[in-house]
Amino acid sequence: MKIFAIGMNYAQHNKEMDGALYKPEEPVVFLKADSSLLKDKKPFFLPEELGRVDYETELVVRICRLGKSIPQRFAHRYYDAVTCGIDFTARDLQAKCKEKGLPWTLCKGFDGAAAIGEWVPVEKFRDVQAIHFHLDINGKTVQEGCSSDMLYGVDELIAYISQWFTLKTGDILYTGTPAGVGPVHINDHLEGWLEERKVLEFNVK
């Protein structure tokens, strides 16, 4: 199983992080380790040695068949379910990596850094590019987004990634985070929603 993730895929988040609205020339792709996956309501153990750790709420897509060099017009055939996930980011470490031009592996791929909710079949939604999602912490909504605001849509991302990687059944794609990221703290209770459906819930320890 491979965990793909996309950076800088919402213009307002790019402004939040870099001070400007912009679209990258190509999708920004990185990978998370399989040990990053956090599911089944298991707690997230905050790695305090990494400094500030931020939540990044995202629409996550599940790959359902083998594919390589997939044309965009056929990409919809290669995923069958979506959910809400958290791309946890060691923000202080990421800043150091950016400054030195280093990869994001350490700040994005540590254990537990890919929280994932319950899968919902895509046919439950009118359009994968019109799904609203949000994150609540301790009962308060802290981040909201809609997949319609993606700079690169799901089908574009699958077509792009499959140029370099063979997609396999069970691979996972985190599609990027909207504006509103922020830090998590010990004893926080996180709940992730797709539309009115709660699909993600866990505690920070």
Side-chain angles (χ1 to χ4, degrees):
M1 181 196 69
K2 299 182 289 299
I3 303 174
F4 298 101
I6 305 300
M8 299 182 285
N9 202 29
Y10 287 79
Q12 290 296 334
H13 174 63
N14 296 345
K15 182 177 181 180
E16 172 181 59
M17 299 304 296
D18 298 329
L21 295 170
Y22 66 91
K23 179 179 181 177
E25 292 184 6
E26 297 177 332
V28 177
V29 181
F30 58 94
L31 292 168
K32 287 175 172 277
D34 58 2
S35 57
S36 300
L37 202 61
L38 182 72
K39 57 183 181 178
D40 301 327
K41 298 186 178 181
K42 292 180 180 178
F44 173 66
F45 290 96
L46 190 64
E48 294 183 338
E49 69 277 6
L50 292 181
R52 171 173 165 164
V53 174
D54 282 4
Y55 57 81
E56 295 190 5
T57 313
E58 310 195 5
L59 181 73
V60 186
V61 176
R62 183 176 69 189
I63 302 301
C64 64
R65 61 190 295 187
L66 185 73
K68 180 74 166 71
S69 299
I70 302 164
Q72 184 176 327
R73 67 185 183 277
F74 297 138
H76 66 279
R77 301 177 181 177
Y78 288 81
Y79 55 93
D80 63 351
V82 295
T83 191
C84 182
I86 308 293
D87 167 22
F88 281 115
T89 304
R91 193 66 74 196
D92 296 336
L93 180 56
Q94 186 187 36
K96 293 178 182 178
C97 290
K98 285 183 174 181
E99 183 180 342
K100 297 178 180 179
L102 297 175
W104 293 358
T105 305
L106 296 181
C107 62
K108 293 278 196 177
F110 56 90
D111 288 355
I116 196 165
E118 300 173 5
W119 294 108
V120 181
V122 290
E123 57 263 26
K124 296 289 186 180
F125 302 95
R126 177 179 58 83
D127 184 350
V128 74
Q129 294 301 154
I131 299 175
H132 291 84
F133 56 95
H134 70 272
L135 174 69
D136 293 352
I137 297 183
N138 304 325
K140 179 182 178 181
T141 298
V142 296
Q143 190 178 20
E144 299 178 84
C146 182
S147 58
S148 62
D149 293 327
M150 288 180 186
L151 298 173
Y152 292 98
V154 173
D155 291 357
E156 289 179 275
L157 294 173
I158 288 174
Y160 182 82
I161 292 170
S162 69
Q163 294 178 65
W164 286 275
F165 298 92
T166 297
L167 300 183
K168 296 183 177 182
T169 301
D171 286 349
I172 296 170
L173 172 60
Y174 284 70
T175 58
T177 193
V181 303
V184 291
H185 307 91
I186 291 175
N187 296 324
D188 279 348
H189 181 67
L190 278 66
E191 297 172 301
W193 301 73
L194 293 184
E195 301 293 350
E196 302 303 317
R197 185 192 302 257
K198 183 166 69 173
V199 295
L200 176 67
E201 183 174 11
F202 63 96
N203 295 312
V204 179
K205 299 289 189 180

